[in-house]
Amino acid sequence: MYEVEVKVRADHGAVRERLDAAGAEQVNRVAQTDTYYDAPHRDFAETDEALRLRRESRYEGGELADEETVVTYKGPLVDESSKTRREYETGVEDGETMDAICEAVGFEPAATVEKDRERFALDGYTVSLDSVSGLGEFVEVEVEVESGVDDAREGAFAVLRVLGLDPDDQIRTSYLGMLLGAPEE
């Protein structure tokens, strides 16, 4: 499975208006805490990989409820035009135990990314309005595909344009990379 993703900095107010005008459906609003791990056997920063434990809680009536945890491996970027990469993800029953397992086998926590994310569905894509602690506001457009990466990427660019955003402004650096001081690509 490939995750085809494009991300840009954007003011959420204007994007919400365009999402409404385009008929997007709000899916949910969540708070996410992502813990990224360093591997003992290779440098993920050099190989452009990531191992992440994500704790996500949905907002219900303005309150956070029902935390879910998933572990994700993200492979290196596969093209130069987006943040497309192979991704493997699965649910975890107990996030604290998964964290302990990672550390027991030599994976050390590297950094934590905290964000509020509002998700919308538009034209078969997920549009996320992300407010990232320490970084600001971003819009991500993504879809998962088994093949047809080029078509999926062009579709994501089209969704950005519908939202009044320019695909040429995309940032290929992850939130983790930005927090650690990597330049925005």
Side-chain angles (χ1 to χ4, degrees):
M1 185 70 67
Y2 291 94
E3 177 188 55
V4 178
E5 174 186 307
V6 292
K7 171 175 58 187
V8 297
R9 284 187 181 273
D11 175 80
H12 289 174
V15 174
R16 275 190 192 90
E17 289 177 16
R18 290 185 182 259
L19 282 165
D20 187 48
E25 177 184 333
Q26 184 171 16
V27 175
N28 61 21
R29 180 173 170 232
V30 297
Q32 295 177 334
T33 301
D34 297 341
T35 303
Y36 289 86
Y37 295 87
D38 284 331
H41 59 292
R42 66 178 173 259
D43 184 347
F44 281 167
E46 280 187 24
T47 61
D48 194 27
E49 297 170 278
L51 179 65
R52 175 187 73 203
L53 189 64
R54 170 173 284 167
R55 292 172 175 92
E56 178 176 286
S57 298
R58 295 181 193 276
Y59 283 94
E60 293 179 11
E63 300 292 321
L64 290 173
D66 299 332
E67 182 177 278
E68 294 179 3
T69 303
V70 294
V71 62
T72 307
Y73 164 77
K74 293 179 173 260
L77 295 174
V78 298
D79 74 19
E80 295 182 9
S81 302
S82 67
K83 285 190 59 189
T84 301
R85 58 178 77 229
R86 191 171 292 278
E87 180 177 285
Y88 302 98
E89 185 170 83
T90 190
V92 174
E93 185 173 323
D94 181 340
E96 298 305 316
T97 299
M98 186 69 219
D99 180 62
I101 290 169
C102 286
E103 290 188 39
V105 297
F107 287 79
E108 294 291 328
T112 300
V113 176
E114 294 180 338
K115 66 182 164 291
D116 276 347
R117 171 172 275 181
E118 291 179 76
R119 290 187 186 111
F120 297 83
L122 180 63
D123 297 338
Y125 288 80
T126 299
V127 177
S128 297
L129 305 185
D130 290 344
S131 296
V132 184
S133 296
L135 295 177
E137 294 184 338
F138 299 84
V139 173
E140 289 187 357
V141 177
E142 67 182 72
V143 67
E144 291 185 353
V145 296
E146 291 190 27
S147 62
V149 167
D150 291 340
D151 290 340
R153 182 184 57 247
E154 290 306 315
F157 289 166
V159 170
L160 279 178
R161 289 184 195 99
V162 165
L163 300 177
L165 303 170
D166 187 345
D168 290 338
D169 293 337
Q170 79 165 300
I171 300 164
R172 294 179 69 229
T173 305
S174 67
Y175 295 136
L176 172 64
M178 286 187 268
L179 282 171
L180 297 177
E184 293 180 9
E185 295 179 32

